[in-house]
Amino acid sequence: MRLDLSALSGFRGSLLTPYDPGYEGARVLFNTRVRTRPALIARCADAGDVATAIRYAREHGLPLSVRGGGHHASGLSLVEGGVVVDVGGLRDVVFDPAAATVTVGPGIGWRDVDQITYAGHSFTGPDGLEYGLAGPGGECPTVSNAGYSLGGGYGPLGRTFGLGCDHILAAEVVDAESNVLRASETEHPDLFWALRGAGGAGFGVVTSLTYRLNPLPKTVVGGMIAWPYSRAKDVLRAYRDLYANRADDRLALCLLLTTEPYPDGEPVVGLYGMYVGPPAEAEAAFAPLQALGEPLFSSIGETGYLDMMTVMGEEIVYGLQSKWLGGYFSEDGFDEAAFDVLVQRFAQSPSGFSMVRFDLLGGGAIARVPADATAFAHRSALHYVSIIAQWPGDEETDANVTWVDGFAEALRPHLTGEVYQNYADRDLADWPAAYYGANYPRLQQVKLAYDPQDVFHTPQSIRLP
């Protein structure tokens, strides 16, 4: 049955229903295992369109969801038979180099921002080096800055400067009544607290964010280094020991179990990332890795931050189906028994596209923020493991789902039970505790204040108290 769209006559963006050309492509997410069919995809042009779409959904009794870059791990950015408020087209950028801030629309990715604030802007630091200003982004170029930051936002600058959510200075939000609000430390501070860590969990639709930026040398030292899979446990030990009681927060390395060449080669273990500091000081920081002996290959060397992040993003494969499970290691859980599970289970993967990633590295500036200062609760954990099953065809689904489920179950004794909310798992029984811990009751009170009718409801949105 066709929707009556006459109430949306003033909508400035584009409207797509299942009867329109382009609908099928518009509903595809990064995880192509998600096959959800919304009744309407409202591609918004501005905050006014967002308000109109919310009002339409309410007046017609339709469920709604919010989509930015389309990377929600469990597909909750789409809603079956409902209205998708798509903010991916809101991509304005206002850069203030004097204040070292940038205000951006929710649909733009970090590489586009870095092109303006880091590559396109230069100044000389007190050490005489040339610097740019960098946001707190991650490696995937099509992840929206808003989805990334509102749920936390880990990246190579995190240990040095903090999470994406820690960089947010203000947010423009359209609430359940279609009012446009500004949230900051001084305006709607309760909402501002909730948005930083639970911003995608049912309070409103963010239509712009203002971030503080970080001074970063134009030349950094980084890249990827990999060893044969026979050295996997040695590398895991070295990675653990590298960050044990580490005082220098400027070395950001992620660990990866993958295949080389990807996806048709043999298993390998690698580290990728950068030293966030003067290049002359990088050699000492990377020295512990030299003790591991000759690698299979290494691209570690002087580069630009934008160049390095662009190369990493180019390695991401699109169009695959996936299931993504993981968790934070307990304080003593990243041990020899866990290494055995990781090495044995990954080698049994039925798909060369699958991987195990330690791309969420905590500590440093992340851990120095109190756990209740924002809605983001996972401040004390250092290591996070992501078991990522990826495969191209439906006929491969059962084998890959069985593999990732069994892998996650085998690792469970080594984990805290907390889960990074940006890597959402629809099957979590106690997702409030896993995502938000002790902050959840306060989030419920914010939900009651800003969405008492539970308009922004998904299977894992904050519940009314």
Side-chain angles (χ1 to χ4, degrees):
M1 182 177 178
R2 290 178 181 267
L3 291 177
D4 179 1
L5 302 182
S6 59
L8 293 168
S9 59
F11 194 85
R12 295 183 61 246
S14 60
L15 301 168
L16 292 170
T17 74
Y19 301 93
D20 296 316
Y23 169 84
E24 292 299 332
R27 72 181 181 89
V28 174
L29 300 184
F30 179 78
N31 178 4
T32 59
R33 189 179 176 215
V34 178
R35 310 289 170 86
T36 306
R37 296 184 64 82
L40 173 64
I41 300 174
R43 288 177 156 175
C44 301
D46 53 26
D49 276 358
V50 171
T52 299
I54 294 171
R55 188 178 303 112
Y56 179 86
R58 292 196 63 175
E59 291 176 350
H60 289 77
L62 295 170
L64 62 80
S65 65
V66 185
R67 170 177 169 158
H71 279 262
H72 194 282
S74 294
L76 297 183
S77 56
L78 299 184
V79 58
E80 188 71 31
V83 175
V84 176
V85 181
D86 190 331
V87 295
L90 277 63
R91 298 173 56 85
D92 289 345
V93 180
V94 179
F95 175 38
D96 185 341
T101 64
V102 66
T103 299
V104 299
I108 198 168
W110 284 113
R111 297 297 78 76
D112 299 302
V113 177
D114 291 334
Q115 189 67 50
I116 296 169
T117 67
Y118 177 77
H121 174 66
S122 298
F123 62 95
T124 302
D127 53 8
L129 296 177
E130 185 182 10
Y131 282 73
L133 292 169
E139 65 196 75
C140 183
T142 57
V143 168
S144 78
N145 75 88
Y148 165 92
S149 299
L150 295 173
Y154 289 90
L157 304 182
R159 278 178 58 88
T160 311
F161 300 113
L163 296 165
C165 67
D166 298 333
H167 285 72
I168 298 173
L169 300 176
E172 181 183 82
V173 186
V174 183
D175 70 9
E177 299 290 339
S178 293
N179 300 311
V180 180
L181 310 177
R182 178 179 168 84
S184 69
E185 291 285 4
T186 58
E187 303 168 274
H188 301 287
D190 52 345
L191 178 60
F192 184 60
W193 174 86
L195 291 176
R196 290 172 296 158
F203 304 105
V205 181
V206 170
T207 50
S208 79
L209 289 165
T210 299
Y211 296 95
R212 64 176 173 89
L213 298 171
N214 308 298
L216 192 66
K218 289 286 188 172
T219 300
V220 298
V221 175
M224 183 169 181
I225 182 170
W227 293 267
Y229 201 66
S230 60
R231 302 294 311 281
K233 290 183 185 178
D234 295 333
V235 177
L236 283 162
R237 292 185 196 104
Y239 186 65
R240 174 195 61 195
D241 297 343
L242 185 63
Y243 285 104
N245 302 313
R246 186 179 184 86
D248 187 348
D249 300 333
R250 295 175 295 179
L251 182 63
L253 292 176
C254 303
L255 187 141
L256 180 68
L257 301 179
T258 184
T259 53
E260 175 60 34
Y262 183 75
D264 300 317
E266 295 299 315
V268 298
V269 57
L271 296 172
Y272 65 96
M274 61 184 287
Y275 181 72
V276 186
E281 301 174 11
E283 183 176 354
F286 281 102
L289 302 184
Q290 304 304 318
L292 288 169
E294 189 70 22
L296 276 176
F297 64 86
S298 175
S299 64
I300 302 291
E302 291 192 357
T303 183
Y305 169 72
L306 178 58
D307 293 336
M308 187 192 75
M309 297 298 281
T310 298
V311 168
M312 289 182 180
E314 288 173 346
E315 297 298 315
I316 297 171
V317 178
Y318 291 79
L320 298 174
Q321 301 184 52
S322 69
K323 185 173 184 181
W324 195 315
L325 297 176
Y328 293 90
F329 277 94
S330 58
E331 187 173 351
D332 299 320
F334 196 34
D335 59 8
E336 293 296 324
F339 300 161
D340 287 341
V341 174
L342 290 164
V343 173
Q344 293 170 10
R345 292 280 179 159
F346 177 69
Q348 298 167 3
S349 169
S351 171
F353 288 102
S354 296
M355 61 185 68
V356 173
R357 281 173 37 182
F358 290 74
D359 64 335
L360 309 187
L361 183 62
I366 298 170
R368 288 192 289 271
V369 177
D372 61 353
T374 68
F376 190 84
H378 316 293
R379 297 287 183 177
S380 61
L382 181 59
H383 295 297
Y384 189 98
V385 61
S386 295
I387 308 162
I388 307 170
Q390 298 185 118
W391 64 95
D394 289 350
E395 70 282 0
E396 303 170 66
T397 296
D398 288 346
N400 282 279
V401 169
T402 298
W403 173 77
V404 74
D405 286 346
F407 198 150
E409 184 61 32
L411 267 184
R412 194 177 309 280
H414 304 277
L415 308 180
T416 65
E418 295 183 15
V419 174
Y420 180 41
Q421 48 266 41
N422 273 356
Y423 292 168
D425 174 9
R426 303 186 68 134
D427 298 328
L428 277 175
D430 191 3
W431 56 265
Y435 298 157
Y436 307 113
N439 287 337
Y440 188 70
R442 184 175 172 185
L443 287 166
Q444 289 184 288
Q445 294 302 316
V446 179
K447 175 73 170 181
L448 181 63
Y450 289 91
D451 186 16
Q453 302 302 316
D454 200 17
V455 173
F456 299 108
H457 181 92
T458 75
Q460 292 187 346
S461 57
I462 304 299
R463 299 295 185 249
L464 290 167

